[in-house]
Amino acid sequence: MRAAFIRRLGPPEAIEYGTLPDPRPGPTDVLVEVAATTVNPVDTFVRSGLFRTPTPFPFVIGRDLVGTVAELGPGVDGFAVGDAVWCNSLGHGGRQGAAAERAVVSADRLYHLPPGVDPDAAVAVVHPAVTAHLALLTHGRLRAGETVLVAGAAGNVGSSLVELAVRAGATVVATASAGDRAHCEELGARYVFDYRDPRLAERIRAVAPHGVDVLLDTSGHNDLPLAVDLLAFRGRIVLLAGARSRPELPVGPLYMKDGSIVGVVISHATTAELAEAARSVGTLLARGGLRPRELEHEPLSAAAKTHTRLERGELHGRRVVLRPDLDG
C-alpha cells in the first residue's frame, strides 16, 4: 500500500511517501480502506517528538480517517464489510497512523459514519469535535444555563466548542479576530469580541457580571491571571493547548472561588470517553452540524507539505483533506 510515514522523528521533511506492506488485522481489529485523512496539530507534535509516544518505525503518521470496512478480525462484532466508518485515535500509543491506503483499527476505536454524511467533511471535523466534547462536557462538566467563554473561537476546535456549547444550552461568549465575528455569530455565540480589544476584559465582565462558568483557551496563551479573574464561583478553566506554556497561576484567587483548572489531551482519553464523544459527534453530524468552515483537497503525497503549512500558521479556519485516490 502507499502511505505517508517517517523513519525518524524530525521536521516535516522527515515525512516520506512510498510503499509499505499491507497491514493485517488482529482478532479484535478492523481493516479499513481509507478514503480520506487530515492533519492536526498533534500530528506535528508526534512527528517532531514534542509529544512522546511509541512510534515503531517505519511509522505511518496521522490520527483521523474516514473509510470503508474491508476485513474483520474473527472477534469483531457490530461492523460488516462495506460499512462507512471513522476513527480519530490512530498514530499514538504504538498504533500505526491513518495516512495510508489501508489502516488497521481496533474495533473499540472505530465508529459508524452516519448515512448521508460527506466523508471529507466528516474527516475534517471529527478530531476537533471530539476534542471539544472532551474539554467542554467530559472535563469542563458544562451544564445547561451556564456561561462559556471560548478564546480562539474561530479555529477548528474553537468553532466546535461554540457549536457544542450552544447545543448544550449554554450562553457563549467568544473572542476572535474582527474578521471572524460573523462566523462565530453563525455558530451561535451570543457575544463576540475582538481579542485585540484593549477593553476586552471589561467587555466580558459586562456581559457576564457573575463570571464565566467554563473558560477554554484554544490559543495556548493561557493567561491564567485574567482567566481566574473572569471565573465565576466554582468555575472551571480547561487547558487545551500550550505544550510549552509556563504561565503564572494566581493560586489565592483561584481557591477562594472554589475554581479548578484541568488539562485535556485527546490522546489520553479512554476508549470509553472517546466512544461517548463519538456518539455525540455522530448525532450532530447526522443532524447537519459540525460542518468545516473551508476545505482543501490534496493527495496523500502532500502530507509533508501540509505539515509545513500547518506549522507556519497558514491554515487558519481551513482544513486540508488528504485523499489516497488523488495520487496518480
Side-chain angles (χ1 to χ4, degrees):
M1 68 174 185
R2 293 175 297 179
F5 59 93
I6 56 174
R7 300 181 191 273
R8 61 180 177 86
L9 301 178
E13 293 76 24
I15 299 173
E16 301 179 38
Y17 176 73
T19 302
L20 292 177
D22 282 344
R24 298 299 307 154
T28 58
D29 295 331
V30 178
L31 180 66
V32 177
E33 193 79 21
V34 178
T37 184
T38 188
V39 179
N40 303 287
V42 68
D43 299 329
T44 70
F45 300 160
V46 171
R47 183 217 72 232
S48 67
L50 176 63
F51 189 162
R52 290 293 183 175
T53 184
T55 49
F57 299 121
F59 181 71
V60 178
I61 61 174
R63 290 299 179 89
D64 313 333
L65 64 77
V66 168
T68 305
V69 173
E71 186 179 341
L72 303 171
V76 174
D77 293 317
F79 295 98
V81 172
D83 283 353
V85 291
W86 65 274
C87 175
N88 74 322
S89 59
L90 294 181
H92 178 265
R95 297 183 294 276
Q96 290 285 347
E101 292 182 301
R102 285 170 286 282
V104 166
V105 184
S106 177
D108 60 359
R109 291 175 176 270
L110 191 66
Y111 318 109
H112 289 280
L113 185 69
V117 174
D118 177 68
D120 290 358
V123 80
V125 299
V126 291
H127 199 95
V130 169
T131 300
H133 178 100
L134 293 169
L136 196 64
L137 301 171
T138 305
H139 297 286
R141 309 187 308 280
L142 177 67
R143 296 181 292 271
E146 291 189 319
T147 297
V148 174
L149 172 61
V150 180
N156 296 311
V157 174
S159 295
S160 293
L161 285 167
V162 172
E163 190 168 350
L164 265 64
V166 170
R167 289 178 179 269
T171 297
V172 176
V173 182
T175 68
S177 66
D180 289 324
R181 180 187 184 93
H183 171 67
C184 295
E185 290 176 338
E186 289 171 5
L187 292 172
R190 183 173 299 181
Y191 309 102
V192 184
F193 300 118
D194 187 337
Y195 74 91
R196 300 184 187 90
D197 189 337
R199 299 175 60 194
L200 177 62
E202 178 184 338
R203 297 189 190 283
I204 294 173
R205 292 187 191 98
V207 300
H210 301 294
V212 296
D213 300 290
V214 184
L215 189 153
L216 309 102
D217 183 354
T218 68
S219 71
H221 293 155
N222 298 325
D223 185 346
L224 294 184
L226 176 60
V228 171
D229 185 60
L230 293 173
L231 211 58
F233 178 70
R234 291 193 174 172
R236 287 84 70 196
I237 297 170
V238 184
L239 307 179
L240 297 94
R244 299 182 177 91
S245 178
R246 299 292 187 272
E248 172 192 349
L249 174 61
V251 174
L254 179 68
Y255 91 79
M256 289 297 288
K257 287 186 174 183
D258 275 13
S260 62
I261 300 177
V262 61
V264 176
V265 176
I266 188 173
S267 300
H268 297 160
T270 66
T271 53
E273 289 170 340
L274 289 172
E276 179 185 8
R279 285 190 290 271
S280 171
V281 169
T283 298
L284 291 177
L285 287 172
R287 293 175 179 174
L290 297 173
R291 293 300 184 234
R293 186 174 179 183
E294 186 177 350
L295 281 183
E296 286 186 24
H297 295 84
E298 292 276 6
L300 183 59
S301 56
K305 179 178 76 172
T306 305
H307 273 237
T308 297
R309 294 176 65 199
L310 183 61
E311 289 185 331
R312 289 177 177 171
E314 297 174 4
L315 297 177
H316 174 68
R318 189 183 312 153
R319 294 288 271 168
V320 176
V321 174
L322 303 176
R323 295 186 58 105
D325 63 354
L326 295 182
D327 285 290

